[in-house]
Amino acid sequence: MCGIVGYAGGRQALEVVLEGLARLEYRGYDSAGIAVLAGGKISWAKRAGKLGNLQSALAEVPPPAGTVGLGHTRWATHGAPTDPNAHPHTDCSGRLAVVHNGIIENFADLRRDLLARGHVMTSETDTELVAHLLEDEMEQADGARPSLAGAMRAVCRRLDGTFTLVAVDVRDPDVVVGARRNSPLVVGRGNGENFLASDVAAFIAFTKEAAEIGQDQVAEIRADRVTVTDFDGAPVRVRDFTIDWDADAAEKSGFKWFMTKEIAEQPRAVADALIGRVDRDGRIALDEMRLDDEALRAVDRVVVLACGTAYHAGLIAKHAIEHWCKIGCEVQLASEFRYSDPILTRSTLVIAISQSGETLDTLMAVRHAREQHSRVLAVCNVKGSSIPRESDAVVYTHAGPEIAVASTKAFLTQLVSCYVVALYLAQVQGTLYASEIAEVLGHLRRMPDAVEQVLGLMEPVRRIARELAGERCVLFLGRHVGYPVALEGALKLKELAYMHAEGFAAGELKHGPIALIEPGLPVVVVVPSPGDMPVLHDKIVSNIQEVRARGARTIVLAERGDAKVAPYADTMIELPPVPPLLQPVVATVPLQVFACELADARGHDVDQPRNLAKSVTVE
Ligand code: M6R
């Protein structure tokens, strides 16, 4: 949530910062702003709305040239998305500027105190008070002015809550200072230039060398060096890493939306998620895993923690873990976990699933689990992010950068990675024979091809989506692993098309939701394979008949050649035959296309849906 960029180097800071903000806009688009240091002054500009509004303002009144600066795209927390609440915020003297991602929880007390001491606030944000706290530190009565980094450390020690802060000050004109607690911040190391950002995407066009900034640390970047300390000023060693994708991967490359591009990339993403997972003897080997087999043999219960789409991946992973490993698995919303008095032991394996690795609800749940002495395995897409860093082990999903707010390829790679983790656990615990594992791996290797086939059959999905653009409500039904797919289809439609959409376990319909069915209501149904799951198949065919009898318009996702369900489908979307547990990998794709097309038909911004942000770094 919120995108932050800081730059110190030889280029024009404005250009570098705007380029970075364009790549970070998916993190929040309620407002955007920049500040540039030049000629002993700070010039700043900020506008409510998307980055385009700021760019238009800057085209009319460009700031003076300068090589040190910062920028921000906002996802509003404290204060409405207005010009005054946009970042950066300045102090009373206008000599420093600060941007922020997160929420400062002791905001009210600090603000009261600052106002009582004569500071003048011009916004409703919690961020502005940081500018005034820094001002106090820089203007100490005894005249012993600290460096901007020293002032930042002193201020951070007084703050409660979550924050990434980045600041510049005319009295320290060569430096940009950043600090973090619970919200993301990375350094980009260039040649004669350095960067600070919420996410490596901001500087990928300039450098692929990056460094992680840890919890409660302050980073100072100058053109020629980077210095990192803890909040008490003790130097810390940072972990450097190289970004393993190119700037092109974060471009639309001719697609109308990032989402359409990311949907199309899924066969490759699924294939990449499987690379290097099997050793020469055909045994599963998870390179990034840091849990030893002895610890895994002792696991007697699995708890999966995640939010949103990643939670749906967890619901599907549960079926695979229980079926292949014969270990009880529960899936919890990370945002609820800490407050539910969870029972965890040393032999509980916690699997935290997160695309961004920065979702604060999931990060807090991970910390809670580790405090209870459980081992935590992260299934994550973004390298060097907080959740894998704070977990005992990690399996990266290798989806590549996902820019659209709605998760697509990250979800499919989370599924594939969870299947592989489940197979690994089954291998270590001896609950599957090597031949059985090899058979599933064979099916997994054919999944990129199966996804490609689905993508080739999307014309009827696009057509029906456009036909339904005027509807107000769509229901999604599924059973077994098809139920989380239904939940995911409904979530996609809500977030992109702003339509009322609900996913139900089809068998639950008769216990209440069937009252919602009225003539013409679109109902999307995910049907299991008739050959592999005949009983469940028959039951869901009955469920389809029940809604059709009440006038619903049925859109059925079923295996190619499923003659039993065809008579009850107003629209039939065919899926290639795959084993039942793997069906979500192919069945989710049409629902992504459906939501994307419907949102586009309704004239919405598919990549940046209202009120949302890609990475949710507040609780
Ligand atoms: O980065 P994470 O996977 O932890 O994000 C979790 C959710 O916020 C995310 O999946 C969200 O639900 C997406 N917008 C769904 O498309």
Side-chain angles (χ1 to χ4, degrees):
M1 228 120 251
C2 298
I4 290 181
V5 194
Y7 177 75
R11 301 175 205 256
Q12 288 306 313
L14 181 65
E15 285 165 27
V16 177
V17 166
L18 284 176
E19 157 102 35
L21 291 184
R23 291 183 188 273
L24 291 188
E25 202 182 9
Y26 71 91
R27 299 182 65 88
Y29 27 83
D30 286 332
S31 65
I34 56 99
V36 174
L37 282 181
K41 282 173 51 182
I42 292 182
S43 304
W44 49 268
K46 52 191 194 175
R47 286 288 182 281
K50 295 199 175 177
L51 185 59
N53 295 354
L54 174 70
Q55 285 165 323
S56 306
L58 289 168
E60 273 175 37
V61 188
T67 57
V68 172
L70 52 73
H72 187 265
T73 61
R74 178 170 186 240
W75 186 84
T77 55
H78 282 61
T82 59
D83 283 356
N85 288 336
H87 301 208
H89 291 282
T90 52
D91 65 335
C92 297
S93 70
R95 284 188 292 185
L96 65 87
V98 65
V99 293
H100 167 219
N101 170 21
I103 293 179
I104 292 164
E105 283 164 6
N106 52 342
F107 152 84
D109 291 347
L110 291 169
R111 186 178 161 102
R112 202 176 307 114
D113 176 55
L114 285 162
L115 289 173
R117 288 187 295 104
H119 285 273
V120 179
M121 306 269 176
T122 57
S123 79
E124 306 154 274
T125 66
D126 50 351
T127 308
E128 191 182 5
L129 66 89
V130 176
H132 294 274
L133 291 172
L134 284 170
E135 177 183 11
D136 280 355
E137 290 296 327
M138 296 296 276
E139 295 287 325
Q140 286 179 18
D142 60 7
R145 186 174 66 74
S147 64
L148 180 58
M152 182 66 92
R153 284 190 282 268
V155 168
C156 287
R157 290 195 294 267
R158 296 181 60 190
L159 302 179
D160 295 335
T162 61
F163 49 85
T164 296
L165 294 162
V166 171
V168 288
D169 188 303
V170 292
R171 289 155 288 192
D172 233 345
D174 303 325
V175 67
V176 183
V177 171
R180 74 166 287 249
R181 172 180 290 160
N182 295 331
S183 295
L185 181 66
V186 283
V187 165
R189 294 186 189 276
N191 192 0
E193 58 184 355
N194 289 300
F195 307 79
L196 280 170
S198 317
D199 177 330
V200 297
F203 50 75
I204 185 73
F206 305 102
T207 180
K208 293 174 93 177
E209 300 310 316
E212 295 171 0
I213 302 300
Q215 180 73 344
D216 285 3
Q217 292 178 1
V218 170
E220 276 173 271
I221 59 159
R222 293 179 168 75
D224 61 348
R225 63 183 185 278
V226 175
T227 314
V228 184
T229 67
D230 65 18
F231 282 176
D232 292 322
V236 292
R237 265 181 98 122
V238 294
R239 203 183 72 82
D240 287 330
F241 63 100
T242 302
I243 304 160
D244 57 5
W245 48 272
D246 296 320
D248 302 356
E251 305 285 351
K252 278 193 204 154
S253 314
F255 285 88
K256 180 170 182 188
W257 304 108
F258 277 110
M259 185 176 177
T260 39
K261 178 185 173 233
E262 288 159 8
I263 289 172
E265 283 172 346
Q266 293 184 111
R268 191 220 28 89
V270 167
D272 286 354
L274 288 166
I275 287 175
R277 301 301 190 205
V278 184
D279 68 15
R280 280 204 211 127
D281 305 324
R283 290 176 64 79
I284 299 175
L286 298 174
D287 280 351
E288 310 99 340
M289 186 95 147
R290 296 188 300 262
L291 282 181
D292 58 33
D293 286 358
E294 203 182 317
L296 286 178
R297 263 190 290 277
V299 169
D300 58 9
R301 183 163 159 261
V302 177
V303 173
V304 180
L305 301 173
C307 297
T309 287
Y311 171 73
H312 299 153
L315 292 174
I316 294 161
K318 170 187 163 75
H319 285 274
I321 290 166
E322 294 189 337
H323 187 68
W324 292 332
C325 311
K326 311 293 175 223
I327 299 177
C329 174
E330 55 188 272
V331 191
Q332 294 215 23
L333 289 166
S335 52
E336 288 291 314
F337 178 67
R338 282 199 293 160
Y339 312 101
S340 64
D341 210 0
I343 300 158
L344 296 169
T345 68
R346 283 174 199 276
S347 53
T348 307
L349 175 68
V350 171
I351 301 179
I353 309 174
S354 173
Q355 187 285 131
S356 61
E358 299 293 352
T359 300
L360 195 59
D361 289 317
T362 311
L363 179 62
M364 291 307 189
V366 163
R367 286 188 187 157
H368 187 77
R370 294 200 70 203
E371 279 161 18
Q372 314 297 310
H373 309 291
S374 290
R375 290 201 167 77
V376 179
L377 165 68
V379 173
C380 184
N381 191 36
V382 178
K383 274 200 176 160
S385 54
S386 300
I387 291 170
R389 249 194 354 246
E390 297 199 23
S391 299
D392 298 286
V394 58
V395 170
Y396 284 112
T397 56
H398 302 295
E402 191 178 70
I403 310 293
V405 164
S407 189
T408 54
K409 62 176 180 172
F411 176 70
L412 256 55
T413 57
Q414 284 163 355
L415 291 182
V416 169
S417 304
C418 286
Y419 293 137
V420 173
V421 167
L423 290 175
Y424 187 70
L425 202 51
Q427 175 178 283
V428 172
Q429 296 222 345
T431 51
L432 285 182
Y433 291 114
S435 58
E436 292 171 309
I437 294 175
E439 192 187 336
V440 182
L441 283 171
H443 289 301
L444 280 172
R445 282 197 207 94
R446 288 191 283 279
M447 293 316 282
D449 205 43
V451 174
E452 193 78 67
Q453 286 178 43
V454 178
L455 288 171
L457 298 169
M458 287 301 92
E459 223 18 73
V461 176
R462 291 196 188 94
R463 203 170 42 242
I464 186 98
R466 294 207 167 255
E467 272 174 44
L468 297 180
E471 293 292 332
R472 291 180 49 232
C473 173
V474 180
L475 301 187
F476 293 77
L477 307 180
R479 300 185 82 132
H480 189 250
V481 290
Y483 169 46
V485 174
L487 293 176
E488 176 59 9
L491 176 64
K492 281 285 155 294
L493 204 61
K494 277 182 239 194
E495 67 180 334
L496 297 175
Y498 319 149
M499 286 167 80
H500 177 228
E502 293 295 335
F504 295 111
E508 280 297 294
L509 210 62
K510 56 189 177 294
H511 298 291
I514 201 163
L516 291 169
I517 306 292
E518 52 188 39
L521 181 82
V523 179
V524 179
V525 193
V526 184
V527 177
S529 159
D532 292 321
M533 305 198 91
V535 177
L536 209 58
H537 181 273
D538 286 354
K539 299 257 183 279
I540 208 159
V541 172
S542 302
N543 299 143
I544 296 173
Q545 286 172 279
E546 286 154 19
V547 296
R548 260 176 68 105
R550 289 160 178 85
R553 174 177 181 173
T554 56
I555 301 147
V556 173
L557 277 66
E559 196 172 283
R560 193 164 52 228
D562 183 342
K564 267 188 169 175
V565 80
Y568 310 109
D570 292 308
T571 305
M572 180 87 163
I573 312 295
E574 291 193 335
L575 302 174
V578 297
L581 276 173
L582 308 189
Q583 198 205 37
V585 179
V586 287
T588 307
V589 176
L591 304 186
Q592 298 166 342
V593 173
F594 180 67
C596 180
E597 196 72 19
L598 219 151
D600 187 69
R602 286 163 79 102
H604 298 166
D605 184 332
V606 168
D607 288 335
Q608 297 181 344
R610 71 181 179 204
N611 305 336
L612 295 177
K614 181 75 183 159
S615 170
V616 184
T617 52
V618 292
E619 270 186 286

